[in-house]
Amino acid sequence: MCRAATNETSQSPRDRYNEAVQAYSAGNFASALKFWEDLAVSPLPPGLDSRVWFQLGNVRFRTGEPLVETSPEQAIEWWRQSCEAYRFLLSGRRREPAIHNLALVETRLADLLHRLGLEAFSRAGNETASAAIDLLRDSTTQLQEAVDLVPRDSLYRADLDRAKAALRERLLERAGHAEEAGDERARQKNRW
């Protein structure tokens, strides 16, 4: 058996938790994430489970942060996982730091989803009906999630309404073209 495996099994959960805290503090989020994920599925002493889930929320948020500009879809997934960790923690009891962090991550996630939804909305304006419909569906999905996360934001709601209206228009446009094409085919078959 390798030394690392022996060391991991001989360490107490609190020692592994503390090692994860040190990794997190050093900016080694991948290592901290691995420790806390392993601990989350292990039997833990009372009180340590809530700390592990809190830290899972924190490290998943931090893992997604550098991806916002280069890989926003990956950042979204990490932040969704962060929210789930905080929600899991809150499902059993109220913990003010988790409530605060959950609200922070949900706001940042909503901002990113809003930005991506607006980008898809803008790109749809220059596309054919079918391509625009795909982009507008993506846009409304992202904007709807942003509204669901931060329902009091009137800007998110207004942008969602604009995207839905544009989607409706493009669907009607595509239906009109399909009807015209069907009429033309019928005229060509029935030239009397």
Side-chain angles (χ1 to χ4, degrees):
M1 183 182 278
C2 76
R3 183 169 187 236
T6 304
N7 189 28
E8 183 176 307
T9 56
S10 66
Q11 283 184 313
S12 75
R14 289 191 194 284
D15 289 340
R16 290 186 305 188
Y17 175 85
N18 290 334
E19 196 168 336
V21 169
Q22 289 175 348
Y24 182 86
S25 297
N28 187 351
F29 301 135
S31 179
L33 177 65
K34 173 86 172 94
F35 274 109
W36 285 320
E37 284 179 339
D38 290 346
L39 283 169
V41 296
S42 303
L44 297 173
L48 191 59
D49 61 335
S50 60
R51 286 193 226 152
V52 167
W53 283 99
F54 182 75
Q55 295 300 353
L56 276 171
N58 291 344
V59 75
R60 288 173 174 161
F61 174 75
R62 294 289 182 207
T63 301
E65 257 186 329
L67 302 171
V68 167
E69 295 305 320
T70 57
S71 300
E73 289 81 9
Q74 288 180 326
I76 286 169
E77 288 309 311
W78 280 110
W79 288 356
R80 283 178 180 150
Q81 291 176 24
S82 174
C83 289
E84 289 307 311
Y86 293 132
R87 287 184 192 118
F88 180 80
L89 173 62
L90 293 170
S91 66
R93 55 199 154 276
R94 294 188 56 81
R95 312 235 353 135
E96 289 307 316
I99 292 168
H100 169 78
N101 286 10
L102 176 59
L104 173 77
V105 176
E106 285 178 338
T107 300
R108 294 280 305 272
L109 177 57
D111 288 344
L112 182 54
L113 287 162
H114 180 249
R115 187 189 92 201
L116 293 177
L118 289 180
E119 288 172 4
F121 178 80
S122 291
R123 288 194 316 270
N126 302 327
E127 296 292 337
T128 62
S130 290
I133 288 168
D134 290 341
L135 286 167
L136 289 168
R137 282 186 175 139
D138 289 345
S139 174
T140 56
T141 299
Q142 291 165 329
L143 291 170
Q144 182 64 60
E145 188 175 352
V147 167
D148 292 344
L149 288 166
V150 186
R152 292 188 179 128
D153 193 308
S154 60
L155 175 63
Y156 291 175
R157 171 74 56 199
D159 288 337
L160 174 60
D161 292 343
R162 283 187 322 140
K164 285 180 175 180
L167 177 58
R168 232 181 341 270
E169 287 173 26
R170 287 303 191 115
L171 287 168
L172 289 171
E173 177 186 338
R174 183 171 71 180
H177 289 310
E179 187 176 335
E180 289 171 8
D183 290 348
E184 182 58 32
R185 280 191 300 273
R187 279 192 290 276
Q188 289 176 358
K189 286 183 180 179
N190 296 321
R191 293 203 178 257
W192 35 277

